[in-house]
Structures are given as C-alpha cells and as structure tokens.
Amino acid sequence: MKFLALAAALAIAAQPAAKADDIVMKALDAELARSPKLQVPPLPAPFFMQYTVYECDEFKVRAALGSLTMSVDRTDRQLFPDVLVGSHTLDNENFTGGSLSPDQDTLPVDDLEPALRHSIWLTTDRAYKGAVRNLQAKYAWLQQNKVADRLPDFQSEPASTSLEEFPEFNIDKKAWTDRVVELSKIFADYPEIQRSRVEMAAYRQKRWLVDTEGTKLRQGRLLSGLSIWTSSQAADGEFVGDTELIFADDPASLPDEATLRARVKALAERTVATMHAAEGEDYVGPVLFEGQAASSLVDQLLSPNLGFPVEPLGSRGSDAWRNPFSGARNHRVLAPFLSVIDDPLTKSFKNQDLCGTYTYDDDGIAGQRITLIDHGVLKTLCTSRLPSRWGDHSNGHSFGGTGWPSVVTLSSEKQVSPAKLKERLIALGKEAGLDYVILVRRIWNEYSLSDMGWATLGSASSLQTPSSSYRPNSPVEIYKVFVSDGHEEMIRDVQFRYMSLRAFRDIECTADDPTAFPVQVSGEPLRHIIAPSLLVKEVELEPKSKENTDLPLLPGPFEKSEKK
C-alpha cells in the first residue's frame, strides 16, 4: 500500500501545472496532493482518486400564452469526488450492497482558493469514509458468496491532458425573453389546447477533471435549446399532448423566428388534430416508424443493451442488471443489413448540432468511434475503465463509471425511398389480409433542458438498465394507412405492447432518409440518435386502459362557444 501511495504522489507531481489564474484547478491539485494521507488506520488509504468539477452558467426563460412564467439566470458549481480504497483487484465500487450513487457537493462559485479547498476537503472526507464502508460490505459479501472467474475491479489507463480556454457566453437575454413570450402567444389562437409552454435554455458548461494517475482536463462548451410543449383532452377526457425540441450548441445557431413560429404552429395543429382523432384498437401487423419515432424506438429498445458490459457484484439473479447481449458476442442480433456505430466525437449531422457528444468521458478517457454491431453481428459494447470481458481497456464511453452509448447511428444497406417504404408497408398488410396498417411518426419523449452536457457525471442506477423486452413510450402521432388506397387517418389512445429485441431482426427494410433526433428517458442525459425510417414486420398495439378524467366544467374563456 505504501508503494501505491508513493506512485500516486509521483503521478500528481508529474501533472502539468495549473494556470496561475485557474483557482479551481489549483484547489483540486492541492487537495489531490494530500490524498495519500487520507487514512484511518488500520483501514486502507485511497489507491486512486479523481475529482470532477462541473460549473454551469444557466439562462432559462419559460412563457405561456404571452406571459413570462419563469426566468432563471444563475451559476452553479458541483464537485464529484471518486475515492477508491482497497486495490485494483478488489475496490469499493460496482457493488449493489453499497452505494451506487456518486458523492457530490456544491462548491462556492467564487474563485477563492481557501473556500474551495475547504469544501473539497469536507466532501472528500465523507467520500473516503463511505468508500471504506462499501469496501468492508463488499468483502463480507465475497466471504459468503463464491464468484467464479471474477475480474479485477479497476484497471489503469494512460493519462489524458487537455487544457482548453472556456468559450465566451454571449446571449442577448432580453431578446430571447421577448422571443419566447411572442412564440407562446401563438397558442392563444388554439383555444382547445388546455396547457402549453415555450421554454428556452442556454448554458455555458465548464469541466475540470484531475486524478492521481496524472489526468488533467479543463474543457468548456456552449449548449442551447427550445422546448415547446402542449397538453389537452379529447372529447372523452383522454389526455393528449406532444413536445418539440430544437437544439444547437450556440444560441446564435438556433433557427430564426419565422422557422420557430412554424414549428410552434405545427405542434399546435398536430395536438388539435389528435384531440379529434378516432380511438385506436388492438392491432397486430407491420408498423412503419418514421423520423422521430424511429430514433425513439432505437433509443428505448436497443440503446440500453449497448452498454452495461459488467453486472454489479451482488446483482446475480436480478433482471435489472442482466444484459441480454452479455453472451451474444459475434452472434447476430439485428437484421444482416443493419449496423450500429457509436461516436461521441460526431458533433453535427446534416448541419445539425448534436447533443451527447464529448471528447473525454466521465473517466477522463478519450472518446472513441466504435462499431458495436456490424451487419447484424454484435462486436462489442460501450465500456468504461471498469474491467470487462469486452476488451483490455476502456473505449471511452463511461457514464458514472459504467459503459453507456453516446451518439448512436443505425445504418442500413437495404434502403428504398420513403414512398417505396410506405408501398412495402401496404403490401405487407395486403399479404396479411389486413384492412389497414400502422404508421408512427412520433413517440412521446421526456425532454428536459436541464441536462444537455457531456455524458454528464451521474449514477448508473439512474439509467434505463438492459432488457430483452421493453414497452416503448406511447405514440403521440400515429395513423392508420388503409391498404385499399393508401390514405391515412390519425388515431389516438393506443400503446405498444412489450416489444422484444427480436423486432430489430424482423426489420423488413429501411428508408434512405437517416435523420438525427434528440432523445431522452427520464433521469438520463439528452443525446441524439441517427436512424432511418424503419419497417418492422410485426408489432402489437393495444388501446390504453381507460382512466378518463372529466373535462373542465366550463369551456375555455377564449373558445368560440364561450365568446357567444
């Protein structure tokens, strides 16, 4: 242990010196240098430590029907310490009997070294004591449970260095406030919509990361977006609604006002149309997923299985952590004309900025472009520096210490035009003797503009864990396509039954229209999925269970019936 502590101290000494005016880095370096002394004998001292600091300058405004309902203009700074005790063979992490959530604390936003070091010291002390408790619990569990062929708990990685200048945060706050208010007024022309809002958020995010192996990172980026949201009720009381998300790195790159107004109107008109659509019914047959719906399907059903290469110790027998791809290496998991690439370095697609990108992951490892599935055959998974059977080292895809996908691209070698794909959908319906087939253009997504950063440091316990089947979120824009003449009729109030991963082996073909759409599941960071429209041979849908809520007793104050 003395040798390990000496090696850690030498690594710290070899780090590049912090800039004289970078007080945060100086404070982190100073406290990291004291880490070999952090010990309560006879308990072990840390053999590895990492500090990550996130600072966020946030500007956010929200408006409804021409009235400002929220305005935020603040700076926040958070510290995430990672303290490992024990050894590379057995440490305190990746154990369900301990805490899977990271320690964190708020740091002062003023660059005053004494105040920063005081907060770092207290947070580190708490993290160390928690690490020791977790190690003892993990050791006791191993004394009572035999684990065959257990891998080591930690692997060393080459140190990374990247010291960037932070970008300027220039945003006309008054102009954007006025614009959001004006955009929200558009919904006043649609009195049937009960609730609506327009929200704009802009961030400058800064990250500092240092560890005892010599990694030193200072990075910054700009992020911005608009979220447009509606909610209302159909005549029978069932709720309908949808969300549009518009994303760009720099606020100056967001669409112009005319484009934004068109997007707001399109959402409003789509919501009203859904309110008056007929109720759906049980259906089993081919389904065409277009645009946003295709990306959402990939994200919710396939993406969680592209990470989690290691089950936490103590989770054996728990379906929540078992990856159905764990034994599928070099086996076919998708249709043979489909491939999947994950590339956190892809910053744009068809001149559209992408969220979920980064150059270094949560472990401070350089992000890499990797082919996960090649012509339907699983080749690898996203990995962190947690040792796994999928490679000797991390491939730069750590989120909260576990392997997790970033920007996923599903590509196809069996492509036709969107019109031809719809024709094929109808042909499959005729072959099955159906009167109509189903087209889905949008699936509900839980967009949040509060989390748009790197693979923002979090906890693996907050992620959607792998599964061989999953019920995707309900469709919010869905149509019957009649096989007799191809005309479309919107329906509502249906949901997917549980879908198996086999759905991706049953894809008939795709369109030649790959598109990037932002996706998000509650508790996870916002990111993009790039995918073409997908024709799945067989999908099951069913009516939603009826839990109708009474309509308002009086019509809205601006509806025509009330004005009379």
Side-chain angles (χ1 to χ4, degrees):
M1 183 58 67
K2 289 183 178 179
F3 173 77
L4 291 173
L6 177 61
L10 291 174
I12 296 169
Q15 290 183 340
K19 289 177 59 177
D21 59 347
D22 191 341
I23 304 301
V24 174
M25 189 70 83
K26 287 181 64 178
L28 293 174
D29 284 345
E31 288 305 303
L32 196 66
R34 299 204 300 160
S35 63
K37 302 176 183 177
L38 189 65
Q39 186 178 12
V40 179
L43 300 176
F47 71 90
F48 174 84
M49 280 186 56
Q50 175 182 292
Y51 286 132
T52 306
V53 172
Y54 283 105
E55 180 181 310
C56 182
D57 296 312
E58 176 186 18
F59 172 72
K60 182 185 292 186
V61 287
R62 180 187 298 164
L65 298 176
S67 177
L68 191 66
T69 60
M70 182 187 72
S71 179
V72 175
D73 189 356
R74 65 169 187 163
T75 298
D76 180 57
R77 187 181 277 172
Q78 296 286 327
L79 169 68
F80 295 83
D82 189 14
V83 179
L84 298 187
V85 295
S87 67
H88 287 68
T89 302
L90 178 64
D91 68 24
N92 51 284
E93 293 192 340
N94 201 46
F95 173 53
T96 58
S99 173
L100 291 175
S101 298
D103 288 289
Q104 70 180 91
D105 203 358
T106 300
L107 287 184
V109 295
D110 292 326
D111 287 344
L112 298 174
E113 188 174 350
L116 288 168
R117 288 189 59 179
H118 187 270
S119 293
I120 296 168
W121 161 64
L122 286 176
T123 306
T124 304
D125 184 79
R126 185 176 69 248
Y128 169 74
K129 292 171 181 174
V132 169
R133 287 194 296 271
N134 282 353
L135 178 63
Q136 291 174 325
K138 187 174 180 179
Y139 180 75
W141 188 91
L142 283 170
Q143 292 290 98
Q144 301 176 43
N145 297 271
K146 293 183 179 180
V147 180
D149 300 323
R150 191 179 74 84
L151 293 174
D153 282 342
F154 190 74
Q155 58 192 2
S156 296
E157 297 283 355
S160 302
T161 303
S162 178
L163 301 176
E164 303 174 2
E165 297 297 326
F166 297 128
E168 295 294 324
F169 189 45
N170 297 318
I171 178 172
D172 191 331
K173 298 175 182 178
K174 183 180 185 307
W176 271 108
T177 300
D178 294 343
R179 180 173 293 181
V180 167
V181 169
E182 288 300 314
L183 289 171
S184 73
K185 288 181 181 179
I186 295 173
F187 288 109
D189 296 331
Y190 301 87
E192 291 177 280
I193 297 176
Q194 294 177 355
R195 294 178 177 85
S196 63
R197 68 170 182 251
V198 178
E199 181 177 305
M200 187 273 179
Y203 300 94
R204 175 176 61 177
Q205 295 183 336
K206 303 176 182 178
R207 178 172 75 157
W208 295 262
L209 188 153
V210 296
D211 70 28
T212 50
E213 290 184 340
T215 289
K216 187 183 290 287
L217 304 177
R218 182 179 63 238
Q219 300 173 287
R221 66 177 299 178
L222 300 177
L223 300 148
S224 62
L226 276 95
S227 174
I228 312 161
W229 174 86
T230 61
S231 174
S232 195
Q233 288 176 277
D236 60 1
E238 286 296 317
F239 283 101
V240 300
D242 199 356
T243 304
E244 280 274 0
L245 185 72
I246 304 165
F247 175 85
D249 288 337
D250 194 316
S253 299
L254 289 168
D256 59 27
E257 188 163 356
T259 302
L260 293 176
R261 291 182 68 86
R263 297 282 290 270
V264 173
K265 289 181 178 179
L267 174 58
E269 291 169 1
R270 193 165 66 240
T271 302
V272 172
T274 306
M275 291 171 59
H276 297 287
E279 293 182 69
E281 55 201 359
D282 286 299
Y283 174 84
V284 179
V287 173
L288 174 55
F289 295 85
E290 288 186 349
Q292 187 265 6
S295 293
S296 293
L297 184 69
V298 172
D299 177 53
Q300 295 176 33
L301 186 57
L302 178 63
S303 287
N305 302 303
L306 302 177
F308 282 99
V310 181
E311 289 184 35
L313 193 66
S315 66
R316 189 174 302 278
S318 170
D319 290 337
W321 300 98
R322 183 180 298 115
N323 193 327
F325 284 168
S326 61
R329 193 172 195 172
N330 295 321
H331 288 72
R332 187 167 75 85
V333 295
L334 303 185
F337 52 86
L338 296 175
S339 297
V340 176
I341 290 173
D342 188 285
D343 188 1
L345 304 176
T346 301
K347 295 186 177 181
S348 65
F349 181 78
K350 294 183 177 179
N351 297 319
Q352 176 183 353
D353 292 338
L354 301 178
C355 51
T357 66
Y358 56 86
T359 52
Y360 294 89
D361 69 7
D362 280 359
D363 292 339
I365 308 299
Q368 300 176 33
R369 173 188 171 95
I370 54 174
T371 298
L372 298 164
I373 301 173
D374 186 18
H375 292 86
V377 177
L378 180 67
K379 294 299 183 182
T380 191
L381 296 178
C382 297
T383 64
S384 65
R385 65 187 301 164
L386 186 67
S388 75
R389 304 188 191 282
W390 294 86
D392 294 333
H393 290 279
S394 168
N395 57 30
H397 285 77
S398 174
F399 177 91
T402 194
W404 186 250
S406 56
V407 179
V408 172
T409 298
L410 177 73
S411 61
S412 169
E413 293 184 353
K414 188 178 179 181
Q415 303 178 16
V416 296
S417 68
K420 291 290 186 183
L421 193 61
K422 185 177 178 182
E423 290 177 7
R424 183 58 185 150
L425 169 69
I426 293 171
L428 288 176
K430 289 180 178 178
E431 292 173 11
L434 301 172
D435 293 330
Y436 65 86
V437 285
I438 292 294
L439 166 62
V440 182
R441 291 200 170 104
R442 295 186 64 81
I443 292 175
W444 175 254
N445 225 295
E446 304 171 40
Y447 296 125
S448 170
L449 294 181
S450 62
D451 188 357
M452 298 193 297
W454 288 276
T456 311
L457 193 71
S459 168
S461 61
S462 69
L463 298 175
Q464 179 189 333
T465 50
S467 61
S468 58
S469 65
Y470 185 76
R471 186 198 291 270
N473 291 347
S474 297
V476 292
E477 187 181 3
I478 180 170
Y479 301 86
K480 291 180 178 179
V481 180
F482 288 86
V483 300
S484 58
D485 58 6
H487 81 277
E488 301 175 4
E489 288 186 8
M490 179 179 273
I491 58 174
R492 62 175 173 86
D493 294 338
V494 293
Q495 61 187 5
F496 297 105
R497 290 196 175 103
Y498 275 82
M499 294 181 65
S500 165
L501 281 169
R502 185 174 181 83
F504 286 96
R505 285 186 277 174
D506 290 340
I507 291 175
E508 173 76 7
C509 57
T510 75
D512 56 0
D513 60 351
T515 311
F517 276 95
V519 293
Q520 189 170 37
V521 176
S522 180
E524 297 181 4
L526 189 67
R527 57 201 178 92
H528 270 83
I529 300 288
I530 303 170
S533 297
L534 307 171
L535 175 54
V536 184
K537 293 178 183 178
E538 185 173 283
V539 177
E540 297 183 24
L541 294 109
E542 62 185 358
K544 290 183 179 178
S545 58
K546 287 296 181 183
E547 297 179 358
N548 300 49
T549 301
D550 290 338
L551 293 166
L553 297 177
L554 296 176
F558 303 109
E559 291 190 35
K560 292 181 180 179
S561 58
E562 181 67 12
K563 289 182 179 179
K564 293 178 180 179

